[in-house]
Amino acid sequence: MNALASARIAVRALRVNKLRSILTMLGIIIGVAAVIAMVSVGSGAQARIAEQIQSLGSNMLVVLSGSINQGGVRMGSGSQLTITEEDAWAIQREVAGVHAAAPAMRGGGQVVWGNLNWSTTIQGATPEFFEARDWPVVVGQPFGQEAVDGATKVALLGQTVARNLFADQEAVGQVIRIKKVPFTVVGVLDKKGQTTWGQDQDDLIVVPLTTAKRKLLGVSQANARSVNSISVRVRDDADIKEAEIQTRELLRQRHRLQPYQDDDFSIRNLAEIAEAQEASSRVMTVLLAAVASVSLFVGGIGIMNIMLVSVTERTREIGLRMAVGARGRDILAQFLVEAVTLSMIGGLIGVVVGIIVSYAIPYFAGWRTLISAEAIVVAFAFAAAVGIFFGFYPARKAAQLNPIEALRYE
């Protein structure tokens, strides 16, 4: 008996008990659909994290001021301004692989335009800031070094600030007051979105570093050259870990720290943060897929159960087939094809249901999903493998029946 004949007999046998066949396939349908939907949710989360990390800059180092001790109590990072603008220029000049280093001061304040106001973050920066953060200006233009040298009162708005102050109106050229100091808006920054920890990067105003220090953030004369942080962008073709090591060594040398002394600064490697978060997201995707795969095993057990019942019900038919010349392998193939047909039809329906559910999740739950062709192929192949695995034992049992005893079976 050839494979085509076995398939025809299998389909005919399944059509005899349509309801039972549908109920048997239900486990496979649910399993395949669940695997596709869960993997799409996990892939969507991974894509979202990747976008957020890209907006931060995965090839970036962030140097932060260190901590101090007061009365034996160690204060938090950034409690003392221990890094300077000169440190930033030294990093840019002396560390191999660094594309740009941008010193910055950060604070908060109220910004007012007309009868509208908004509380936001004030970022004092140099022109290198936009290059280090890969943050272009979409409306207007960024300020240059002359604005920093002259402590000019100009400002660039993040998308969130521009939306809350000006809505659909033109922001460039308007005069706003930051902490009661008038500033002219010269541009609006491109949208960055949220960080992976939920901070809105677009909720800020960028002003020249010298202007921020002298007119907004109140830096003392003793700390006139100090900054909160330095954003360091490493070239794509450079080793970011090596750049981190060289930056640490350079700053320790510049700050005259002895080998036994701790760093008076901290360095955050955003590439390592990105790798850790992507790894955790991948693990979550695998766990979701593993949990969903349990349904496939349950469906496989259902197939085995129904095929054993089918063998019992058709014992006399098996005996008749053997009596007229059917071999054991023909009977094995017939029942195995039935099991695989059940699982593959269920797998096809499950793929359709899984795709529909994947598209429905963002609509109803607001989660991002990303349908993976690889997940669809793997889920369908796994469904077929389940049919073969769980259908083999009933098929083998049918093939080993004694023809005479099978004909006598009532």
Side-chain angles (χ1 to χ4, degrees):
M1 185 183 297
N2 59 36
L4 186 60
S6 297
R8 282 201 302 266
I9 294 171
V11 171
R12 190 164 56 245
L14 295 176
R15 290 175 62 186
V16 171
N17 296 292
K18 294 180 182 177
L19 182 59
R20 187 171 73 181
S21 299
I22 292 171
L23 293 174
T24 303
M25 289 187 293
L26 197 58
I28 298 295
I29 293 171
I30 293 172
V32 171
V35 168
I36 293 172
M38 291 301 98
V39 171
S40 69
V41 169
S43 298
Q46 277 185 269
R48 178 62 179 156
I49 289 174
E51 288 176 1
Q52 292 174 333
I53 290 169
Q54 186 65 32
S55 72
L56 287 171
S58 57
N59 57 337
M60 268 189 62
L61 300 173
V62 179
V63 183
L64 300 172
S65 290
S67 62
I68 58 173
N69 292 324
Q70 288 185 348
V73 177
R74 190 172 185 182
M75 310 301 287
S77 178
S79 55
Q80 185 179 28
L81 298 178
T82 57
I83 54 178
T84 65
E85 296 177 44
E86 284 69 26
D87 288 333
W89 311 140
I91 292 170
Q92 183 169 298
R93 184 175 59 252
E94 299 180 30
V95 176
V98 169
H99 178 70
M105 284 292 290
R106 195 178 182 90
Q110 202 79 11
V111 55
V112 178
W113 180 73
N115 61 350
L116 298 175
N117 68 90
W118 184 254
S119 181
T120 188
T121 299
I122 301 167
Q123 182 90 31
T126 61
E128 289 80 9
F129 172 82
F130 309 106
E131 196 171 359
R133 291 291 308 275
D134 190 20
W135 204 341
V137 175
V138 291
V139 180
Q141 59 185 7
F143 53 77
Q145 186 60 43
E146 66 280 359
V148 177
D149 295 339
T152 309
K153 290 182 285 187
V154 294
L156 291 162
L157 308 184
Q159 293 275 342
T160 300
V161 178
R163 184 176 62 253
N164 282 280
L165 286 182
F166 299 100
D168 298 328
Q169 299 183 54
E170 180 66 38
V172 176
Q174 301 288 352
V175 176
I176 59 175
R177 284 177 291 146
I178 307 174
K179 289 189 173 181
K180 300 182 180 180
V181 179
F183 279 78
T184 301
V185 178
V186 294
V188 178
L189 295 164
D190 195 7
K191 184 177 177 61
K192 275 281 188 178
Q194 290 188 342
T195 65
T196 53
W197 53 88
Q199 180 186 2
D200 184 1
Q201 297 183 83
D202 300 309
D203 191 2
L204 91 166
I205 294 178
V206 182
V207 300
L209 180 59
T210 49
T211 311
K213 287 183 176 182
R214 297 173 189 175
K215 296 181 172 65
L216 298 176
L217 303 180
V219 176
S220 66
Q221 192 61 36
N223 293 324
R225 302 294 291 174
S226 299
V227 292
N228 292 130
S229 64
I230 301 172
S231 298
V232 181
R233 184 176 181 185
V234 181
R235 291 199 305 267
D236 294 336
D237 59 348
D239 185 351
I240 191 168
K241 192 64 181 176
E242 181 62 28
E244 180 184 358
I245 293 172
Q246 291 182 24
T247 299
R248 176 170 278 108
E249 291 176 351
L250 174 63
L251 290 179
R252 287 187 63 86
Q253 179 184 356
R254 287 182 56 84
H255 295 183
R256 295 182 175 82
L257 296 175
Q258 299 300 316
Y260 60 86
Q261 290 180 295
D262 293 333
D263 295 341
D264 62 352
F265 56 89
S266 60
I267 300 178
R268 293 181 182 174
N269 187 334
L270 297 189
E272 292 181 351
I273 297 173
E275 290 172 4
Q277 291 184 324
E278 286 183 352
S280 65
S281 182
R282 284 195 298 269
V283 169
M284 184 58 65
T285 302
V286 171
L287 288 176
L288 289 172
V291 171
S293 299
V294 173
S295 298
L296 282 172
F297 284 100
V298 174
I301 293 170
I303 288 176
M304 178 184 283
N305 182 45
I306 292 301
M307 294 307 299
L308 286 171
V309 172
S310 181
V311 169
T312 303
E313 290 177 345
R314 295 159 60 188
T315 299
R316 285 179 62 82
E317 176 192 329
I318 295 169
L320 284 171
R321 290 185 183 280
M322 288 182 168
V324 296
R327 295 164 294 180
R329 65 185 182 186
D330 296 325
I331 303 298
L332 176 69
Q334 178 188 340
F335 281 89
L336 195 56
V337 167
E338 286 186 27
V340 173
T341 302
L342 271 173
S343 62
M344 291 187 72
I345 294 174
L348 285 172
I349 298 173
V351 167
V352 175
V353 173
I355 292 173
I356 292 172
V357 171
S358 296
Y359 279 114
I361 287 173
Y363 181 78
F364 291 103
W367 299 345
R368 180 174 177 178
T369 58
L370 188 63
I371 298 175
S372 168
E374 183 179 308
I376 293 174
V377 172
V378 170
F380 182 74
F382 196 61
V386 164
I388 296 172
F389 181 80
F390 287 98
F392 182 78
Y393 174 72
R396 186 169 178 272
K397 183 178 179 182
Q400 291 179 340
L401 286 176
N402 186 297
I404 297 174
E405 292 180 1
L407 287 168
R408 290 175 181 172
Y409 183 80
E410 295 294 336

